[in-house]
Amino acid sequence: MLVILLYNIDWQLVLINFKKLSASTVLISLIILWIGYFLKSLRWKLISHSYKIYISTFFSFKVFCIGMFMGNITPGKLGDFGRLLYLKPYLTNKKVGWISLIVDRLFDLFFLFVFVFIAIVFYYYHFNVFHFSISAQSIVLISLFLIVFFLLVYTLRNRLKNFILPWLSIVRENKLKGLVLCYASLSTVISMLFIYGVINYIAYSMHIEIDHIGLFLGSFVIGVLSLLPISILGIGVRETSLVMVFYLYNLPEEKAVALSIVVFFIQILSLFPGLIWFYQAPIKLTELKKVTIEDW
């Protein structure tokens, strides 16, 4: 689909839109993204401290940027869990390190899906899209799936209990409550406003006349689709999704492709601090696999 899209567009119009981009726009966009990354690293620091992993602000930002770099070059951002290897000197229990990373990722996923839900409601009421219909066949398939799932859980209940209980005991020991939980949630929301909102700033700087609320909310839908392990760096997913958003606003696909390429380019540039720090202290993701096997 991406190949067909790129083949059919007018590249001269795409280049005309590129010329509207200035160096100051690129620089300010990078600063916006880095502020978002810093806020997320502060959240990870809060989560880590709640599990008695006492990392510094600089260390959390440095390793978070490395995780961003590794996550963006692996499908489904799985490389982001490579942060665990940098935490090893601070850990007395590897499970604690895993929990801190999983909880950190859960914050992102929770608020990402909150924004996606808002986006679905927005697009449904403004464009009458996202229709959901369930047929009798779908109900039967879902019912069969649930029956099989519960039978498996019941059959493996003892093994699951032995596996889950040690992890739950660690989760219960954390101090991520009250104000700390509020701060972590707030930093997540604000960081998302920066990271996902940068597309609005770029579109505005390129003089793309579009409803910025719709574009902003659409970026969250694109973010969810980019998590699927079918693309690296969101290539293909982002372009196709943006074209569909622009189509709803009767805007040419050339502007969507130009914006998508610019966003991609700036996202790549934003990963350079992580790349540099990774080069200074490289790890192998095969080591992460070994740690995983040991912990299981």
Side-chain angles (χ1 to χ4, degrees):
M1 191 173 183
L2 176 64
V3 175
I4 297 172
L5 171 65
L6 297 179
Y7 180 78
N8 289 327
I9 64 171
D10 186 340
W11 282 99
Q12 288 187 341
L13 289 178
V14 174
L15 291 174
I16 290 172
N17 282 280
F18 280 153
K19 292 177 181 178
K20 298 176 182 178
L21 184 70
S22 65
S24 60
T25 298
V26 174
L27 179 59
I28 293 172
S29 298
L30 286 172
I31 293 171
I32 291 171
L33 286 174
W34 287 332
I35 291 173
Y37 298 164
F38 179 71
L39 289 171
K40 283 195 173 186
S41 72
L42 287 181
R43 179 197 63 202
W44 182 44
K45 178 187 172 184
L46 283 172
I47 294 169
S48 298
H49 281 204
S50 73
Y51 286 102
K52 299 180 181 179
I53 306 171
Y54 298 110
I55 56 178
S56 67
T57 300
F58 175 72
F59 179 85
S60 65
F61 181 61
K62 173 184 174 180
V63 176
F64 185 87
C65 286
I66 294 174
M68 284 290 298
F69 165 69
M70 292 190 297
N72 276 277
I73 61 173
T74 53
K77 299 186 182 295
L78 294 175
D80 183 40
F81 287 101
R83 285 185 280 166
L84 177 68
L85 298 177
Y86 292 96
L87 279 180
K88 284 174 71 175
Y90 299 87
L91 300 178
T92 55
N93 184 339
K94 292 173 186 175
K95 285 186 174 65
V96 176
W98 274 112
I99 290 292
S100 74
L101 293 176
I102 292 170
V103 171
D104 184 63
R105 178 62 70 89
L106 287 176
F107 267 94
D108 274 334
L109 289 176
F110 175 77
F111 286 102
L112 179 59
F113 280 103
V114 168
F115 278 108
V116 167
F117 176 77
I118 296 171
I120 290 173
V121 173
F122 176 87
Y123 280 107
Y124 177 78
Y125 281 103
H126 285 78
F127 301 102
N128 201 28
V129 295
F130 291 114
H131 287 284
F132 300 99
S133 59
I134 301 178
S135 63
Q137 184 179 7
S138 300
I139 294 173
V140 171
L141 289 174
I142 293 171
S143 301
L144 287 174
F145 173 80
L146 290 174
I147 290 170
V148 172
F149 174 77
F150 284 116
L151 284 175
L152 281 173
V153 170
Y154 181 76
T155 304
L156 302 173
R157 63 188 183 281
N158 291 328
R159 290 186 181 182
L160 290 172
K161 183 179 179 181
N162 293 333
F163 173 78
I164 293 173
L165 285 179
W167 293 87
L168 284 178
S169 64
I170 295 173
V171 172
R172 290 178 186 139
E173 290 174 4
N174 82 86
K175 298 178 182 178
L176 194 64
K177 301 170 184 177
L179 283 177
V180 178
L181 181 61
C182 291
Y183 289 146
S185 300
L186 186 61
S187 64
T188 303
V189 173
I190 297 175
S191 68
M192 285 183 163
L193 295 179
F194 278 96
I195 294 171
Y196 287 91
V198 74
I199 192 172
N200 293 80
Y201 172 70
I202 297 169
Y204 176 79
S205 301
M206 293 175 68
H207 308 292
I208 297 174
E209 296 181 359
I210 188 172
D211 175 27
H212 282 280
I213 295 177
L215 178 61
F216 175 68
L217 292 175
S219 67
F220 287 97
V221 178
I222 296 170
V224 168
L225 294 175
S226 298
L227 290 176
L228 299 175
I230 57 175
S231 170
I232 294 178
L233 293 169
I235 297 174
V237 174
R238 179 177 46 252
E239 289 75 17
T240 307
S241 302
L242 263 182
V243 166
M244 295 179 70
V245 171
F246 274 51
Y247 173 79
L248 294 174
Y249 289 100
N250 297 315
L251 290 172
E253 55 192 20
E254 285 80 8
K255 288 190 175 184
V257 172
L259 178 60
S260 177
I261 293 173
V262 170
V263 170
F264 171 73
F265 171 70
I266 291 174
Q267 284 180 337
I268 291 296
L269 289 179
S270 75
L271 299 177
F272 266 73
L275 171 62
I276 294 168
W277 281 320
F278 176 78
Y279 180 77
Q280 292 175 343
I283 60 168
K284 294 181 180 179
L285 290 180
T286 51
E287 296 178 34
L288 185 65
K289 185 178 179 181
K290 291 177 183 177
V291 172
T292 307
I293 292 172
E294 290 172 8
D295 287 335
W296 291 163

